[in-house]
Amino acid sequence: MEKMVLAADLGGTNLRMAVIGENGETRYRSRSSTPSSRRREDVVDLLVRSARECIEATRREGSISAFGIAAPAVLDHEAGRVLVAPNLPELNDFSLASAVSGLLGMEVFLENDANAAAIGENWLGASHGFNSSICVTLGTGVGGGIIIDGKPLRGIDGTAGEIGHICVEPFGHPCGCGSVGCLEQYSSATAVVRMARELLSEFPDSIVASGDDVSSLDIYNAAISGDPMANEVFRRFGFYLGVALGGLINVLNPEVIVIGGGASESWDVFIEPLNGEIRKRAFKRPADRVTIVKAKLGDDAGILGVAKLAFSSSNIGLAV
């Protein structure tokens, strides 16, 4: 019988779950809407019901004896406890792993979603084979995970890797974290829309609409079409990301930086200013050494990351 684990990516909108084999292959998938109530008992109930569905669907293929959950939260990793979950505040200060484990009768492991993506990319994705890597996820916000000597860097309080909250503009735009000028305010999909609206008065002939429904994709398409305002937005996007990554290269000397998330699809319009800032700001030797690549695993990075964690942290063992 094959060794398998459960892996889930718990978000503020959806719960995605899969059964993963020891070589990283997906045996079964499920997807559900995160309970609108956000109550912890409802979230636990959904996790358990989805897990039982996955277990039943793959019963004949092998045994499942561990479960990894990626969550958008600051965690006490060792205790399996959610400390702060901005998108799921009902889970704050909650021992999610033990609650789910007690109902399923199996080991449950909890990991921050950005760390999970970094682990997944390092296991089977763009940073496979590298011992030191940084993974940056560019979406509605900016997330980050750091692998040093093959292990995720979590920090003493579990908050290491918050790349989106590196200050890149000391007197810049206010951030939801309470600071100002965070990278998240300049290199995320949300930031692209805000910066475009701020620039419209300087570029009145821009093809980008000024209505409330303009999206980062609209602005990207305008940039591809040569729209000066849209190109200036992505120049700033790349500039600030380059400022942050240049500093990280000096501090961590990584072998590879993986850039993923939905906003990374605008790679071709931000990568040149990003590389330019890295060359200006990072020491030459580590800047020349580091490879900057697009993520390979897409939305599966977090699921595969917590699957790897479940294999490695339990007594199951891992084939690769």
Side-chain angles (χ1 to χ4, degrees):
M1 298 287 279
E2 184 180 5
K3 299 173 182 176
M4 301 184 299
V5 296
L6 278 170
D9 187 346
L10 173 63
T13 303
N14 294 301
L15 169 69
R16 297 185 305 113
M17 193 177 295
V19 178
I20 305 294
E22 59 185 325
N23 292 309
E25 66 280 9
T26 301
R27 296 302 186 188
Y28 184 80
R29 291 181 183 270
S30 75
R31 185 185 185 102
S32 307
S33 297
T34 305
S36 57
S37 71
R38 299 293 194 273
R39 295 190 308 168
R40 58 181 58 173
E41 55 265 39
D42 293 336
V43 172
V44 169
D45 178 67
L46 177 61
L47 283 164
V48 171
R49 283 190 290 107
S50 298
R52 287 173 175 159
E53 173 193 335
C54 290
I55 293 167
E56 183 59 32
T58 56
R59 187 175 300 280
R60 295 185 179 183
E61 297 185 45
S63 60
I64 298 172
S65 55
F67 186 7
I69 302 171
V74 178
L75 307 169
D76 181 335
H77 171 76
E78 295 299 324
R81 189 174 189 86
V82 176
L83 300 179
V84 180
N87 294 325
L88 294 166
E90 290 288 335
L91 298 183
N92 289 355
D93 196 27
F94 178 52
S95 296
L96 179 61
S98 63
V100 175
S101 176
L103 292 169
L104 289 177
M106 67 172 67
E107 291 182 280
V108 176
F109 303 94
L110 204 55
E111 182 59 271
N112 168 268
D113 57 350
N115 279 349
I119 295 167
E121 290 287 345
N122 193 239
W123 182 27
L124 295 170
S127 59
H128 177 71
F130 294 95
N131 283 324
S132 298
S133 62
I134 297 171
C135 182
V136 185
T137 56
L138 307 175
T140 304
V142 176
I146 299 169
I147 305 290
I148 299 294
D149 295 331
K151 298 179 181 179
L153 178 66
R154 297 189 178 93
I156 193 66
D157 294 312
T159 63
E162 288 290 346
I163 292 169
H165 298 286
I166 294 173
C167 180
V168 292
E169 191 63 79
F171 304 101
H173 194 80
C175 183
C177 74
S179 185
V180 297
C182 293
L183 177 63
E184 186 166 286
Q185 299 304 314
Y186 298 93
S187 299
S188 64
T190 307
V192 166
V193 174
R194 190 200 78 245
M195 290 190 293
R197 287 175 176 156
E198 291 172 350
L199 284 169
L200 277 173
S201 62
E202 297 179 36
F203 295 88
D205 297 326
S206 172
I207 63 175
V208 177
S210 60
D212 292 337
D213 58 348
V214 65
S215 70
S216 59
L217 179 59
D218 295 329
I219 299 160
Y220 168 71
N221 288 333
I224 292 297
S225 299
D227 183 80
M229 186 276 285
N231 277 299
E232 173 60 16
V233 168
F234 282 104
R235 186 199 67 79
R236 296 183 183 191
F237 183 110
F239 167 84
Y240 286 110
L241 187 55
V243 170
L245 295 184
L248 288 170
I249 289 167
N250 284 343
V251 171
L252 297 172
N253 192 195
E255 297 170 274
V256 61
I257 297 174
V258 178
I259 300 178
S264 69
E265 295 304 313
S266 56
W267 175 280
D268 48 347
V269 289
F270 73 71
I271 192 62
E272 186 175 339
L274 181 154
N275 282 327
E277 287 311 305
I278 286 176
R279 287 192 295 270
K280 290 177 186 176
R281 296 170 184 275
F283 293 129
K284 187 176 188 309
R285 184 167 182 177
D288 288 345
R289 176 190 296 275
V290 71
T291 302
I292 300 176
V293 297
K294 289 181 73 173
K296 289 184 177 180
L297 301 180
D299 289 342
D300 283 344
I303 280 180
L304 289 169
V306 286
K308 171 67 159 58
L309 176 69
F311 276 119
S312 301
S313 300
S314 67
N315 58 11
I316 299 174
L318 191 63
V320 293

